[in-house]
Each structure stands twice: as structure tokens, then as C-alpha cells.
Amino acid sequence: MSIVSGLVLYAVIWFLVLFILIPVGLETQGDRGEIEPGTHAGAPANFNVRKTVIRASWISALIWVVIAAVLFSGLISVRDLDFFDRMRSPAGGTGG
């Protein structure tokens, strides 16, 4: 895995974890019973973006380390995920 593919993998994991964490622990204005005029009852009442981003960063880093370790160790390769046999073997292929 190159540096760029490692960064892309981290970014994908980070956004996935961020969108999973957004509703976790969220208290809405409707839950509190304090609905501001002009807002929806489902609008967040106590959303802390900084806390959510920091949590997403730490969790993403842990997940990335596990995935990178598996890829670098060679336990799983791209050829292991070729379920339809579209990749030719390196020894017997035509190279194209």
C-alpha cells in the first residue's frame, strides 16, 4: 500500500465512522422539550462537532491500523478478493 492509498483508505474510514457517530448520544430539541421557534423538533440540542470529530479520528485510526496490518502482513491480498477470477495469476498470465 502506497502513502496515497493509505491516506485514501483512512479518509474513507474516517467519513464512514463520522457518519455513524453523528447520531450517537445526540439529544434533540424535542427530547428536551425546548424547541426553538423556526426549527424542527428533531434538530440537535447539544451537538458538539469537535468531540464527534475527535472520536471519529481516534476510532478511524484504530480501524486503519488493523486493516493496514492485515494488508501488510499478507494474510489477505487483492487476489484473495477476486471472487470472479478476473485477475490472471502472475506466473501464467499474458501480462496485459
Side-chain angles (χ1 to χ4, degrees):
M1 175 170 31
S2 69
I3 293 173
V4 174
S5 57
L7 290 173
V8 169
L9 178 63
Y10 180 79
V12 169
I13 294 169
W14 188 84
F15 276 105
L16 180 67
V17 169
L18 178 70
F19 288 130
I20 290 171
L21 286 179
I22 284 176
V24 173
L26 185 67
E27 188 176 3
T28 64
Q29 293 179 12
D31 293 339
R32 283 190 175 177
E34 303 169 358
I35 301 171
E36 292 290 325
T39 62
H40 190 272
N46 65 342
F47 185 63
N48 189 347
V49 177
R50 183 180 199 161
K51 190 179 198 181
T52 304
V53 167
I54 291 171
R55 281 184 186 167
S57 298
W58 281 106
I59 293 170
S60 299
L62 292 173
I63 293 171
W64 184 86
V65 165
V66 170
I67 292 173
V70 168
L71 291 175
F72 282 128
S73 70
L75 290 174
I76 298 174
S77 69
V78 175
R79 296 194 187 279
D80 293 333
L81 302 175
D82 183 20
F83 300 116
F84 300 109
D85 199 27
R86 294 186 182 183
M87 300 175 108
R88 298 176 192 251
S89 62
T94 60

